[in-house]
Amino acid sequence: MNPVTRKSTRHVNQNEGLIFEKSSPGKAAWRLPQSDVPEVDAGKLLGSAERKTLGSMPEVSEIEIIRHFTRLSTWNYAIDLGMYPLGSCTMKYNPRVNEVVARLEGLANGHPYLPESIAQGALRIMKSLSDCLIEITGMDAITLQPAAGAHGELTGLLMVRAFHESKGSPRKKILIPDSAHGTNPATAATAGYAVENLKSNTAGMVDVAALTSQMNEDVAALMLTNPNTLGVFEQDIHKIADLMHAKGGLLYMDGANMNALVGKVRPGDFGVDVMHLNLHKTFSTPHGGGGPGSGPVAVKRTLEPYLPTPVLKENPDSTLAFDYDRPQSVGRVRAFYGNFGMFVRALAYIMANGPDGLRQTTEDAVLNANYIRKGLDGTYDLPYKTPTMHEVVFSDKLQAKKGVRTMDIAKRLIDYGFHPYTTAFPLIVPGALMIEPTESESIEELDLFVEAMRSIAREVDEDPQTVLQAPHTTRVSRLDETAAARKPNLRWKPAAS
Ligand SMILES: *Cc1c(COP(=O)(O)O)cnc(C)c1O
């Protein structure tokens, strides 16, 4: 486990340009047969669309292309290589059966402009998924349109706004706990609301007394993540829902942490009015670069009239159709009907597991997180002692005494063969180490992770420089993350000729 390859890696890094640029004139990875049809004048055929000068393209052989992309694929980290303990992201394994089903020709090649009459199979998949998600959440109706969790939040708050408008005023504020994910306040602001911060108590839960004094008729909704980003279940959830409803407000639940609840409790039963799910978290569809996301929004009956159009409906003869005649709808939030390939994968996952399998998944996810909590408590500071569910949040308090912060520990973890955990979030824990193993990991992998984290803590005591300069085994070491976000350089461009 000791990373000893740093010299050779450095050497390669210095020659990155040489390794990347492989083109030399005359090489090709293809050969076409002699044309057996008469040549035509491209100018005549294409008119002004003809491209007079070709851009410069790399000239490489077939094996060079294959090696290039295969090599690039090994420079990255993936769930298929090892554990991805990125707290709050639920980076679970994406089962291959999902992929097999999503690639079935009729599903992969179905076009969104197919008439409903010959797309009944696809619509049935969407209806079945909707029914499953409604059952899992205990809500009454759902839209599958939003393309991510944050997009679902916005869709949900637009419905909240429409609901209050129908009662005469959209109201002014959204209450958001200080433990919330950054997308929550961003969503509230985008939906035209002022954000009011709600502080947590010493147990890491919503302070009910603070909520009581802050809740009034200006508040449109409370946006709550449950379990919250500390992994703590909001035990006063019934009281919280009652407080909101008593003053005519709504309870929005950020469902990103549903991996801790599926098959155990249902948000619809504890007073939630509207919530999103992240299919790319809880329901094992790929994240980000691995595929488009999906953030369905489920609502109670009171909000159903405001669902985005079109809404899937079942005709009396059991055929399915899209209903566009929804005068109170917030309108469309996505082209077509959402990311269909993700619906197929999520439904495959749900059906492969079944109700008992999903419940087992939840129990395993919670067990794994608590195994890590137990293994690292004492080695790392645990700021909140409240029982945690699917994730656990430590702080770098002990290591900070030696000048080592959470980001340094996360970078060093890369040298041990793990993706970093989530750093610096939630904001109520300074120097947070937010760890979520998910149910996918075996006890052997969890033991390796715990041992890696303990080993790093020993290094902090004995040789902090090793940790402060990590990672040592990657192609590049510490990047300027701000510049990477502000001035992304995402593709190869030919050298100016
Ligand atoms: C991931 C996450 C979101 C945002 O979801 P995206 O799909 O990334 O847009 C919102 N809230 C919480 C708590 C999350 O973990």
Side-chain angles (χ1 to χ4, degrees):
M1 242 210 259
N2 198 18
V4 286
T5 51
R6 47 188 100 153
K7 267 219 183 82
S8 61
T9 329
R10 288 262 166 80
H11 175 72
V12 171
N13 282 348
Q14 280 158 12
N15 294 309
E16 192 102 326
L18 280 182
I19 288 189
F20 207 87
E21 285 298 341
K22 298 188 168 306
S23 180
S24 61
K27 284 196 214 169
W30 49 270
R31 202 184 303 150
L32 293 180
Q34 282 291 318
S35 173
D36 56 1
V37 292
E39 271 190 30
V40 273
D41 181 347
K44 261 192 209 141
L45 205 63
L46 298 170
S48 63
E50 189 199 359
R51 198 165 171 177
K52 300 275 194 248
T53 50
L54 288 179
S56 83
M57 297 290 282
E59 294 178 76
V60 286
S61 68
E62 185 172 316
I63 183 70
E64 284 172 320
I65 291 183
I66 288 170
R67 285 185 182 158
H68 174 69
F69 285 110
T70 304
R71 187 180 293 121
L72 284 184
S73 76
T74 68
W75 291 2
N76 212 339
Y77 192 83
I79 191 71
D80 294 343
L81 288 171
M83 180 172 162
Y84 218 115
L86 202 57
S88 203
C89 292
T90 313
M91 300 294 288
K92 63 171 70 177
Y93 172 62
N94 305 147
R96 290 302 180 268
V97 66
N98 298 358
E99 299 303 318
V100 170
V101 178
R103 281 164 174 70
L104 292 176
E105 203 188 333
L107 300 179
N109 294 341
H111 194 280
Y113 279 137
L114 279 178
E116 285 166 7
S117 60
I118 55 170
Q120 287 294 309
L123 299 187
R124 182 57 62 188
I125 285 172
M126 294 171 69
K127 179 72 168 68
S128 301
L129 177 64
S130 299
D131 290 347
C132 289
L133 297 179
I134 285 171
E135 185 178 342
I136 287 168
T137 56
M139 305 296 280
D140 296 323
I142 197 164
T143 174
L144 301 178
Q145 269 183 46
H151 192 195
E153 291 171 28
L154 180 62
T155 305
L157 282 204
L158 291 177
M159 286 191 262
V160 166
R161 177 174 273 282
F163 167 85
H164 286 300
E165 262 166 8
S166 78
K167 305 223 169 320
S169 158
R171 301 194 170 192
K172 298 192 182 96
K173 289 188 282 195
I174 302 287
L175 296 179
I176 301 183
D178 50 10
S179 60
H181 192 268
T183 51
N184 292 184
T187 294
T190 307
Y193 283 112
V195 175
E196 192 169 303
N197 205 13
L198 190 62
K199 73 173 174 29
S200 306
N201 61 23
T202 50
M205 289 183 260
V206 164
D207 186 332
V208 175
L211 177 62
T212 310
S213 72
Q214 281 172 259
M215 182 58 203
N216 57 43
E217 258 107 54
D218 280 343
V219 175
L222 165 67
M223 281 185 102
L224 192 67
T225 310
N226 197 16
N228 63 31
T229 57
L230 289 170
V232 171
F233 189 84
E234 295 285 352
Q235 288 164 20
D236 293 322
I237 188 66
H238 279 295
K239 215 181 286 172
I240 291 169
D242 290 346
L243 272 170
M244 294 308 299
H245 295 149
K247 296 263 165 69
L250 295 172
L251 180 56
Y252 183 99
M253 187 175 116
D254 178 330
N257 293 342
M258 274 300 283
N259 215 43
L261 304 186
V262 173
K264 293 298 217 181
V265 286
R266 309 192 312 161
D269 297 337
F270 56 66
V272 169
D273 300 295
V274 45
M275 65 176 292
H276 78 261
L277 294 160
N278 303 60
L279 299 190
H280 46 285
K281 294 180 179 173
T282 317
F283 297 98
S284 83
T285 74
H287 281 61
S294 183
V297 177
V299 295
K300 285 285 179 57
R301 280 280 169 252
T302 42
L303 289 173
E304 194 179 2
Y306 311 105
L307 284 172
T309 47
V311 171
L312 196 55
K313 65 161 190 213
E314 190 149 17
N315 294 319
D317 67 356
S318 302
T319 57
L320 293 163
F322 282 117
D323 182 6
Y324 291 84
D325 184 20
R326 313 263 313 174
Q328 290 179 277
S329 165
V330 296
R332 191 185 264 291
V333 298
R334 178 95 176 96
F336 303 115
Y337 319 106
N339 289 326
F340 179 73
M342 298 305 125
F343 308 157
V344 177
R345 287 171 175 85
L347 184 61
Y349 172 81
I350 290 170
M351 294 185 75
N353 277 294
D356 49 345
L358 291 177
R359 188 175 307 117
Q360 179 80 47
T361 292
T362 302
E363 289 169 1
D364 291 349
V366 174
L367 181 64
N368 281 359
N370 279 283
Y371 188 79
I372 288 178
R373 173 172 165 151
K374 194 91 188 138
L376 294 179
D377 192 5
T379 307
Y380 293 90
D381 169 61
L382 188 65
Y384 290 90
K385 311 291 181 215
T386 320
T388 43
M389 300 190 69
H390 66 300
E391 65 193 357
V392 55
V393 181
F394 294 97
S395 95
D396 63 10
K397 196 166 149 195
L398 303 175
Q399 290 70 31
K401 290 180 191 141
K402 295 266 185 168
V404 175
R405 306 307 311 265
T406 179
M407 186 61 92
D408 305 312
I409 301 163
K411 296 289 185 195
R412 183 61 176 154
L413 203 46
I414 299 171
D415 290 333
Y416 283 84
F418 292 97
H419 190 281
Y421 50 78
T422 297
T423 58
F425 167 67
L427 298 178
I428 52 171
V429 176
L433 290 71
M434 186 195 218
I435 299 169
E436 179 184 11
T438 83
E439 71 281 6
S440 307
E441 303 307 331
S442 66
I443 193 163
E444 290 80 10
E445 184 80 3
L446 297 178
D447 283 338
L448 275 180
F449 177 77
V450 167
E451 190 38 47
M453 290 294 288
R454 287 184 184 160
S455 175
I456 295 171
R458 282 194 296 274
E459 288 175 341
V460 172
D461 283 335
E462 293 158 14
D463 174 21
Q465 281 307 316
T466 302
V467 182
L468 288 168
Q469 285 163 21
H472 303 283
T473 57
T474 48
R475 312 297 299 188
V476 290
S477 192
R478 298 213 186 182
L479 301 171
D480 179 342
E481 293 181 6
T482 312
R486 298 268 156 80
K487 295 183 208 154
N489 180 1
L490 299 178
R491 66 181 178 90
W492 176 85
K493 292 188 194 82
S497 50

